[in-house]
């Protein structure tokens, strides 16, 4: 009986935590960001992959191939429907094979891609804007570049809030866990295999374009992710370290660290101020140091990944 009471109390506590999460501003903000991010990705797939039959290493690309193959066999299934089905299967596999690593964010983003593609099909079908070349841009290379640009922005937005597009990410993590390849290699292998399925519907030239697009997409995602997450690590050695610390804490509203050190050349005892700032905050700090005419030794470098208690305002 006491065990049942404990389980009941745990369930009540879990439900309370869930209600708090669902009513928090952070939840709705991230839900909006995820929806906008996936809208970019859905538009990229619908307007640049589907008309040109470009197959990039993704679940969307695999769905397009399967849709075309089934159509030749007399069975009409929309690519958006296949995306939804494949993502649902992969999410179940991830739950069984990987466990709780994939949260509600991955479930949400993976399952809304297909419906969003259907939404674009109803609002503005690509048939209305398709060019004489059989695609929106009229050239497969231009379609590829537009697709990579939009999808990379979508992925970078999602990665910034610890979400993902699901699909290929799930396959990569399963390969990583059971075959012990690193994530980058797993993504490359999975993407290349999906690109090769395009031989079923595309000529050799289009398959090569798809393989190149998969490679470019990886580079573009890294670039946009680094750009969105970029921070400045500023190191300042100065006798006015207390004033500099006060400006960072009180004016910029940022934390900083103080390190006591000894000059290797002069042997003098010094204090170094180290802070992680946004680009705008870094510019304000630099202007402050220049206006106050502090004697400083400053070094600054870019940081693209931050873990811990540092957060955006």
């Amino acid at each position: 009986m006491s065990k049942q009471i404990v389980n009941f109390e745990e369930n009540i506590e879990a439900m309370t935590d869930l209600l708090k999460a669902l009513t928090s501003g952070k939840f709705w903000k991230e839900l909006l960001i995820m929806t906008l991010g996936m809208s970019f990705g859905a538009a990229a797939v619908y307007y640049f992959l589907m008309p040109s039959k470009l197959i990039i290493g993704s679940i969307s690309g695999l769905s397009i191939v399967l849709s075309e193959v089934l159509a030749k066999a007399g069975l009409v299934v929309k690519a958006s429907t296949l995306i939804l089905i494949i993502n649902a299967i992969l999410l179940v596999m991830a739950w069984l094979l990987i466990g709780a690593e994939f949260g509600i964010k991955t479930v949400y983003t993976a399952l809304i891609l297909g419906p969003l593609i259907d939404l674009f099909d109803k609002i503005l079908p690509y048939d209305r804007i398709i060019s004489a070349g059989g695609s929106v841009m009229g050239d497969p290379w231009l379609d590829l570049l537009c697709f990579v640009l939009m999808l990379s922005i979508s992925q970078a937005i999602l990665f910034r809030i610890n979400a993902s597009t699901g699909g290929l990410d799930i396959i990569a993590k399963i390969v990583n866990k059971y075959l012990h390849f690193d994530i980058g290699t797993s993504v490359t292998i999975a993407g290349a295999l999906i690109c090769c399925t395009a031989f079923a519907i595309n000529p050799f030239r289009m398959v090569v374009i798809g393989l190149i697009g998969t490679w470019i997409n990886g580079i573009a995602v890294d670039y946009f992710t680094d750009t969105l997450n970029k921070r400045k690590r500023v190191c300042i050695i100065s006798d006015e370290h207390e004033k500099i610390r006060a400006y960072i804490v009180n004016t910029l509203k940022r934390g900083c660290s103080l390190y006591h050190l000894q000059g290797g050349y002069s042997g003098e005892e010094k204090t170094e101020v180290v802070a992680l700032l946004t680009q705008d905050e870094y510019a304000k700090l630099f202007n402050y140091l220049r206006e106050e005419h502090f004697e400083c030794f400053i070094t600054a470098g870019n940081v693209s990944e931050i873990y811990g208690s540092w957060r955006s305002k």
Side-chain angles (χ1 to χ4, degrees):
M1 185 69 178
S2 60
K3 186 177 180 180
Q4 291 177 342
I5 293 173
V6 170
N7 289 337
F8 178 75
E9 290 177 347
E10 288 178 350
N11 290 335
I12 292 295
E13 185 178 352
M15 287 296 295
T16 302
D17 291 340
L18 178 61
L19 287 173
K20 286 181 180 178
L22 291 176
T23 55
S24 68
K26 181 176 182 290
F27 170 81
W28 292 106
K29 178 183 176 182
E30 290 192 346
L31 186 69
L32 177 62
I33 292 172
M34 286 188 290
T35 305
L36 290 175
M38 287 307 297
S39 297
F40 267 98
V45 172
Y46 180 72
Y47 291 110
F48 299 111
L49 279 196
M50 289 185 174
S52 62
K53 302 296 188 293
L54 267 173
I55 306 303
I56 308 297
S58 65
I59 295 304
S60 301
L62 178 61
S63 299
I64 293 171
V65 172
L66 291 176
S67 178
E68 291 292 318
V69 170
L70 291 173
K72 290 178 182 178
L75 183 61
V76 179
V77 183
K78 293 196 296 184
S80 59
T81 303
L82 289 169
I83 290 172
L84 184 62
I85 294 171
I86 293 173
N87 272 325
I89 293 171
L90 288 174
L91 287 168
V92 173
M93 288 176 60
W95 181 265
L96 296 175
L97 298 176
I98 300 176
E101 185 175 353
F102 289 90
I104 193 68
K105 290 180 181 178
T106 303
V107 174
Y108 177 72
T109 55
L111 295 183
I112 66 169
L113 179 58
L116 282 172
I117 289 174
D118 283 337
L119 180 63
F120 283 118
D121 186 46
K122 291 178 180 178
I123 295 174
L124 181 62
Y126 61 69
D127 293 336
R128 296 182 186 176
I129 56 176
I130 204 168
S131 68
S135 65
V136 172
M137 299 302 293
D139 182 272
W141 287 106
L142 289 176
D143 284 313
L144 173 68
L145 292 175
C146 290
F147 169 77
V148 167
L149 178 64
M150 290 184 67
L151 185 66
S152 300
I153 293 173
S154 169
Q155 290 174 311
I157 291 171
L158 293 171
F159 289 155
R160 194 179 184 193
I161 58 170
N162 295 321
S164 73
T165 56
L168 193 62
D169 296 340
I170 297 174
I171 295 176
K173 286 185 180 292
I174 292 173
V175 171
N176 168 254
K177 180 174 181 178
Y178 290 97
L179 298 181
H180 306 294
F181 294 126
D182 60 59
I183 288 293
T185 304
S186 302
V187 170
T188 302
I189 292 172
L193 289 175
I194 289 174
C195 283
C196 289
T197 63
F199 281 116
I201 62 171
N202 282 342
F204 180 78
R205 173 174 173 268
M206 293 294 286
V207 177
V208 171
I209 292 175
L211 286 167
I212 294 172
T214 301
W215 173 65
I216 294 175
N217 181 57
I219 296 173
V221 169
D222 285 341
Y223 171 77
F224 285 116
T225 302
D226 288 346
T227 300
L228 287 173
N229 294 334
K230 186 169 68 175
R231 300 291 181 266
K232 283 287 186 182
R233 184 177 187 271
V234 187
C235 305
I236 307 168
I237 299 175
S238 173
D239 292 335
E240 305 291 344
H241 58 83
E242 182 53 36
K243 293 180 181 179
I244 297 170
R245 183 205 65 81
Y247 180 80
I248 293 172
V249 172
N250 299 326
T251 303
L252 298 182
K253 305 299 182 184
R254 289 291 180 200
C256 63
S257 300
L258 302 179
Y259 296 94
H260 299 290
L261 50 85
Q262 184 178 29
Y265 180 78
S266 65
E268 295 180 4
E269 298 289 335
K270 296 286 185 180
T271 298
E272 181 183 40
V273 182
V274 179
L276 288 173
L277 307 173
T278 64
Q279 190 69 37
D280 181 57
E281 291 163 350
Y282 170 66
K284 290 178 180 177
L285 175 61
F286 202 86
N287 287 334
Y288 169 74
L289 297 175
R290 186 169 51 190
E291 290 169 1
E292 296 295 325
H293 303 289
F294 290 151
E295 257 189 58
C296 302
F297 178 77
I298 306 171
T299 57
N302 292 326
V303 176
S304 60
E305 293 289 342
I306 300 173
Y307 300 96
S309 59
W310 196 98
R311 59 179 63 86
S312 298
K313 294 175 185 176

